[in-house]
Amino acid sequence: LRRGLAVAPQDPRLRLESAILDRRRGERARALATMRSVSPAGLPLRVAMRYHYELGQLLDAEKLPDAALAAFSEANRLARS
């Protein structure tokens, strides 16, 4: 992941994976900042679903239930498409 980010630091898939690792390490603020720097608009469907699910996890952990619910709802909507 580090090598990939060194070569393509703005790659949204790599940034998503980086945010997931940060969340798992307990670095939620860093993970959330990384997630917010990624635009899900151009992501492939499955990656966009994962993005919204992970964003929901982070927002829920940060005690932002309305925003978390919106992110989970978008992940579910994409899963149904």
Side-chain angles (χ1 to χ4, degrees), residues 4-5 8-16 38:
L5 285 169
Q10 297 305 316
D11 184 283
R13 291 178 188 185
L14 293 175
R15 294 184 67 71
L16 174 59
V38 174

Side-chain angles (χ1 to χ4, degrees), residues 3 10-11 16-18 24 32-33 41 43 48 50 52 54-56 60 63 67 69 76:
R3 284 189 213 159
Q10 297 305 316
D11 184 283
L16 174 59
E17 292 301 322
S18 176
R24 290 178 181 168
L32 191 54
L43 296 175
R50 179 82 186 270
H52 288 289
E54 292 295 336
L55 181 60
D60 186 52
K63 309 289 189 241
L69 181 59
N76 288 334

Side-chain angles (χ1 to χ4, degrees), residues 30-70:
R30 181 177 172 162
L32 191 54
T34 300
M35 291 293 288
R36 288 185 168 154
S37 74
V38 174
S39 172
L43 296 175
L45 179 63
R46 292 182 60 81
V47 179
M49 287 174 9
R50 179 82 186 270
Y51 169 88
H52 288 289
Y53 175 77
E54 292 295 336
L55 181 60
Q57 293 277 48
L58 285 165
L59 293 169
D60 186 52
E62 292 296 314
K63 309 289 189 241
L64 298 168
D66 293 339
L69 181 59

